[in-house]
Amino acid sequence: MTRAKDPVTVTICTTCKAGQIDTGEGLRPGQRLFDALSDTLPDGVRLRGAECLSACSRGCSLILSGGADRWTYVYGDLDPDTHLPDIRDGIVAYAATADGIVPWRERPQVFRKQSIARIPPQEQPL
């Protein structure tokens, strides 16, 4: 049974340096992406940070997940300064689905090109 109302979770690697040298000054790119999204997501979308998503060579990275019936996606090479509007649009489109599959042409460019993995739903029929 698909439930379009299952909550969506966006998990962002907040320790991500996105290939930058850590000088200890300022916020890391992953934390900047987390902060930029923190007040802009629609109802039913939860934002959480993680200390590492093990996608260091593809940072900034995030995971979109939403219940046992939705596909889960891992995206990388995200820039908190230039990709933010597309990331928001992609999250909104994902949240509007019951199964997590947004038609290819309706996905923002950044989600078309920078997908690392697509993970089947837990409740996918065999």
Side-chain angles (χ1 to χ4, degrees):
M1 166 187 237
T2 23
R3 298 177 295 268
K5 302 256 187 250
D6 277 347
V8 168
T9 301
V10 178
T11 305
I12 296 177
C13 179
T14 56
T15 57
C16 180
K17 296 184 281 186
Q20 298 178 2
I21 296 172
D22 190 1
T23 63
E25 298 177 21
L27 295 175
R28 290 181 174 189
Q31 184 66 53
R32 287 193 354 256
L33 179 59
F34 180 89
D35 292 348
L37 287 173
S38 66
D39 293 329
T40 64
L41 297 177
D43 290 340
V45 177
R46 179 178 80 123
L47 181 65
R48 71 178 182 165
E51 288 196 9
C52 183
L53 295 179
S54 291
C56 302
S57 65
R58 299 288 309 270
C60 294
S61 58
L62 69 78
I63 299 171
L64 268 178
S65 58
D69 296 322
R70 278 195 184 101
W71 284 80
T72 295
Y73 291 84
V74 181
Y75 295 103
D77 303 315
L78 302 172
D79 185 322
D81 299 319
T82 60
H83 295 145
L84 195 57
D86 283 343
I87 293 169
R88 277 191 212 116
D89 290 347
I91 292 168
V92 168
Y94 177 87
T97 69
D99 60 4
I101 298 175
V102 177
W104 179 256
R105 294 186 191 276
E106 295 175 26
R107 295 178 195 170
Q109 188 76 7
V110 71
F111 279 11
R112 289 185 207 171
K113 302 273 184 184
Q114 289 155 231
S115 178
I116 295 173
R118 184 175 98 133
I119 303 159
Q122 295 172 7
E123 300 298 325
Q124 182 178 19
L126 299 176

